[in-house]
Amino acid sequence: MPEEIEVDTDKLHEAIHEEVEREGGTLLRTIALTTALFAALAAVASLLAGSTVNEALALKTEAAQLQAQASDQWAYYQAKGIKDVVLESQKGLLADKSMSPQIDKDIARYKNEQQDAQTKAKEFERQRDERNAEADLLIHKHHYFAYSVALLQVAIALGAVAALTRKRLAWLGSTALGLIGAGIFLWAMLAG
């Protein structure tokens, strides 16, 4: 009969428990670190999402003001055109009679004022279009920051699940989503 091998089960159990705790502790530290990094990145992305949309709204407001100024100039342009037409009509009616030399001066002045109004209106419209284009780019950028925040928040939540369950697969899912969110954040930063 073979001699019985005596195994100290208490020491074995203790060694297994220490190994599990050591591995679990490393996993928990890794989960905590990645989750903290994702939380910090989500905070920055959230701030940038808010600031880009605020800046876009300010530009849209400025564009609306420029449109109003352009409309005012076009109205002024039309008013000067109407005055010019009226004076030209008077000039035609008075062609046989004595005409005031002031009529020709007024006609020339109205044409010049009309040209100035047209130039100003077109400049306001150009500026309006620039502001709208800038705002549209910022709104587009805002969407990417918002997508980044959403993915990072899901990664943080999944990281919490991984910490509670100590499941490496949950942490890997959290890390994958967090890296995608971080990639979108960096792309939005560099795209502008």
Side-chain angles (χ1 to χ4, degrees), residues 81-142:
I82 291 168
K83 286 182 178 183
D84 178 43
V85 168
V86 168
L87 284 180
E88 289 285 351
S89 297
Q90 282 180 351
K91 185 177 173 182
L93 291 173
L94 299 174
D96 296 340
K97 302 173 183 164
S98 67
M99 257 186 355
S100 167
Q102 187 62 36
I103 290 179
D104 286 331
K105 288 180 185 176
D106 288 344
I107 289 172
R109 183 175 49 112
Y110 291 148
K111 287 188 184 298
N112 285 338
E113 289 174 348
Q114 192 177 26
Q115 183 63 38
D116 289 344
Q118 182 181 32
T119 302
K120 287 179 184 177
K122 286 182 178 181
E123 177 60 22
F124 285 133
E125 288 174 340
R126 185 192 62 75
Q127 290 176 14
R128 173 208 59 205
D129 293 343
E130 284 178 2
R131 300 307 183 282
N132 274 328
E134 286 178 61
D136 291 343
L137 284 173
L138 286 170
I139 290 171
H140 187 68
K141 196 172 191 177
H142 160 78

Side-chain angles (χ1 to χ4, degrees), residues 4-186:
E4 269 188 47
I5 301 175
E6 204 174 298
V7 176
D8 188 0
T9 56
D10 288 335
K11 283 187 177 183
L12 182 60
H13 179 65
E14 206 174 285
I16 291 171
H17 186 64
E18 285 176 12
E19 186 64 28
V20 167
E21 277 197 24
R22 188 173 54 114
E23 177 61 31
T26 302
L27 180 63
L28 283 177
R29 281 191 296 279
T30 305
I31 292 169
L33 179 63
T34 56
T35 303
L37 289 173
F38 292 153
L41 191 58
V44 172
S46 179
L47 286 173
L48 289 173
S51 71
T52 54
V53 79
N54 288 340
E55 190 176 341
L57 289 173
L59 286 169
K60 287 289 188 181
T61 300
E62 190 177 341
Q65 291 170 341
L66 289 164
Q67 176 58 48
Q69 290 173 319
S71 295
D72 290 346
Q73 287 301 312
W74 284 119
Y76 187 72
Y77 172 87
Q78 289 176 334
K80 293 303 176 179
I82 291 168
K83 286 182 178 183
D84 178 43
V85 168
V86 168
L87 284 180
E88 289 285 351
S89 297
Q90 282 180 351
K91 185 177 173 182
L93 291 173
L94 299 174
D96 296 340
K97 302 173 183 164
S98 67
M99 257 186 355
S100 167
Q102 187 62 36
I103 290 179
D104 286 331
K105 288 180 185 176
D106 288 344
I107 289 172
R109 183 175 49 112
Y110 291 148
K111 287 188 184 298
N112 285 338
E113 289 174 348
Q114 192 177 26
Q115 183 63 38
D116 289 344
Q118 182 181 32
T119 302
K120 287 179 184 177
K122 286 182 178 181
E123 177 60 22
F124 285 133
E125 288 174 340
R126 185 192 62 75
Q127 290 176 14
R128 173 208 59 205
D129 293 343
E130 284 178 2
R131 300 307 183 282
N132 274 328
E134 286 178 61
D136 291 343
L137 284 173
L138 286 170
I139 290 171
H140 187 68
K141 196 172 191 177
H142 160 78
H143 288 279
Y144 286 105
F145 284 131
Y147 299 149
S148 173
V149 170
L151 285 170
L152 289 166
Q153 287 176 338
V154 172
I156 292 165
L158 198 52
V161 169
L164 290 173
T165 62
R166 294 185 185 196
K167 299 287 184 185
R168 185 172 295 279
L169 186 59
W171 172 73
L172 290 173
S174 167
T175 303
L177 285 175
L179 290 174
I180 292 169
I184 291 172
F185 171 80
L186 290 174

